[in-house]
Structures are given as C-alpha cells and as structure tokens.
Amino acid sequence: MVNAQICFLGGGNMARSIIAGLVSDGVSGQSITVVDRNQEKLDMLNQLFRVKTTQRVEDAVKNADIIMLCVKPQSLKELMFTVKTALHKQNKPLFISIAAGITLAQIAHWLVGDYAIVRAMPNTPSLIGCGASALFANEYVSRQQKEMAEQIMRKVGVITWVDHESLIDVTTAISGSGPAYFFLMMEHMIDVAVSLGLSEKQAALLVTQTAFGASKMALESTQTLSHLRQNVTSKGGVTAAALKAFSETGFKESIAKAIKDNLSRSQELASQFGNALTHDEQKDKV
C-alpha cells in the first residue's frame, strides 16, 4: 500500500476509525482524501489526521488507487454515477464498499465497467479498533488488491474472507449484529445483580470486565470454547446449576432463532432495497 492514494467517500465514524488506524500505522495523511458534504466534519478530520478534504467527488477520485465507499446505502447509487463520470478510462481503482445491503453486482452496474470491488462488513467495535470484518471480492480483484483491502480493514480489527457473497448476510447476523446480543445479555445480568443487592456501578463493573476477560481468554487460549466452559464448571456446583437453567429455558434454541431471524430479515431488506433501486432505474429511463 506504499504511495497508494486512498479516497474516502463519506467521513463518518467508520471512515474516521479506518483513517485513524492507517495514520497510526504510518500512512501519511496527505495520501488520504476525504469527501463529505459536511464541512465541519471535514475540518475535524483534517485537524486530527492532516488528511486532504473536499466536498467535490470529482476532484478526489480521479487519481485515487483505492476508493472507500463509506456512505449510507441509499446514497450510493447517485454517488456512483458521479464517480463513473469523473474516472478516467485508464484509471481502474480498487473499490471497497462498507455500504450494507448493496451487492457487488449493483455497484458494478452503476459504474458500468470491469472494476475491482471488495464488499466489507465491519461491526461497531471497529470504532475502537476491536472490530470483526468479513470481506468478499469480485473476479476483477487482483491478489495485490486483496492484500491492500486486508491491510486497510485490519486497521480496525480482524478480517476473514468468505467464499460466496451470500455469506456476507450470515456474517451480518453473527458479527455485524453480534455486539447487540452480548450487550443485551450484559444488561440482563446487571439488572439481576442490582435486584440481588449490588449497586448498578458494582454490577456494571463486574459484568463488563467478566465479558471482556472471557472474550480475551477465548481469543488467546489454545483450548476450545467447550473446554474453557468446562474449566469453570464443577460437577454439581453453582456454575453447573446456572448452565442447567440456561438449557432448560431453551437458551441454545433462542440463539439459533435470533440468528436465523436476523438472516431472514437481512435477506428480506436486501431484496426490498434491490427492487427499489431497480424501480428507480426504470423510472430514470422513462
């Protein structure tokens, strides 16, 4: 990624997190250009990272090697038409999209060309450099471009490549929405702890640190999750009693249903959004 010119279309929280990771890893802010309609946001990014900023898409993309699509999904179609017009025919940048629900085929259709495009699905812990991102590349992405995409997305956490684009929806149900599942469990644990006599501050400290410690052990241990769980569980002990209660109330089945419902809703929304985009394009032709 040496000397690569990186253009961020959109300067929101996720873009800011990726930029922070790049700059902290030695990438010059002068090799990064951010485009956003909000001038205050651009000024803040310039002050923090000394990046170049502009409100004009045309000025930013014409010499870019990598274009990060960090805007809301509903804004992407119009933006891609502007990008397509601004790009020189000989310039074939790598596109990395974090716009949820927008397929590679839709982006390629709007760009009208054989462009290298990577679709990435990060999650909110990326905002603190502890994210988990799934990536999928189209057939025009070279090995070198895949490495560049990896380097960029690793600035906000771990990454994994999936073999089929449909699996991006699965990763959305697991890691994309996953933080909310853990937050919900922690909320309930804190509520119960408070009802049993702890202060809310004490309960929050104990629960959040326990969640952090368990995650850290899971990441760093060579043992399986099953073994780690068994290490905490003495036969006939207090932990065993709690786990028995989970089992009796259908804990495993609830998790499975939640993830499957998430996946179903994700596919439903993607279909609705895709149909809406197709309808808009048909109107454009009239």
Side-chain angles (χ1 to χ4, degrees), residues 115-271:
Y115 288 96
I117 310 171
V118 170
R119 187 176 169 191
M121 177 50 63
N123 61 7
T124 54
S126 298
L127 301 177
I128 58 169
C130 296
S133 302
L135 284 72
F136 180 77
N138 70 3
E139 66 270 31
Y140 302 112
V141 178
S142 68
R143 179 177 296 181
Q144 182 183 16
Q145 288 174 322
K146 285 189 73 172
E147 290 175 355
M148 289 192 292
E150 285 185 16
Q151 289 176 42
I152 289 173
M153 297 310 299
R154 279 205 174 103
K155 303 308 177 190
V156 292
V158 300
I159 67 102
T160 185
W161 290 94
V162 295
D163 295 330
H164 304 284
E165 188 173 4
S166 60
L167 292 176
I168 290 289
D169 290 335
V170 177
T171 65
T172 300
I174 299 297
S175 58
S177 299
Y181 312 156
F182 292 108
F183 293 149
L184 179 63
M185 183 169 183
M186 287 190 285
E187 282 182 72
H188 289 329
M189 290 177 68
I190 290 169
D191 287 343
V192 173
V194 170
S195 74
L196 294 174
L198 288 178
S199 71
E200 186 167 348
K201 184 177 180 180
Q202 289 172 324
L205 175 65
L206 292 172
V207 169
T208 54
Q209 180 63 24
T210 299
F212 171 75
S215 296
K216 187 173 175 62
M217 286 183 70
L219 281 169
E220 297 179 356
S221 176
T222 57
Q223 294 182 310
T224 65
L225 290 175
S226 178
H227 278 113
L228 290 173
R229 173 175 52 80
Q230 291 169 15
N231 290 342
V232 189
T233 312
S234 300
K235 187 175 181 180
V238 294
T239 305
L243 295 180
K244 184 173 182 288
F246 279 139
S247 178
E248 290 175 347
T249 54
F251 186 60
K252 181 178 179 180
E253 291 75 16
S254 294
I255 292 173
K257 185 178 187 305
I259 291 172
K260 290 176 181 177
D261 286 356
N262 183 305
L263 178 59
S264 176
R265 181 58 175 160
S266 178
Q267 293 169 339
E268 179 183 322
L269 289 172
S271 176

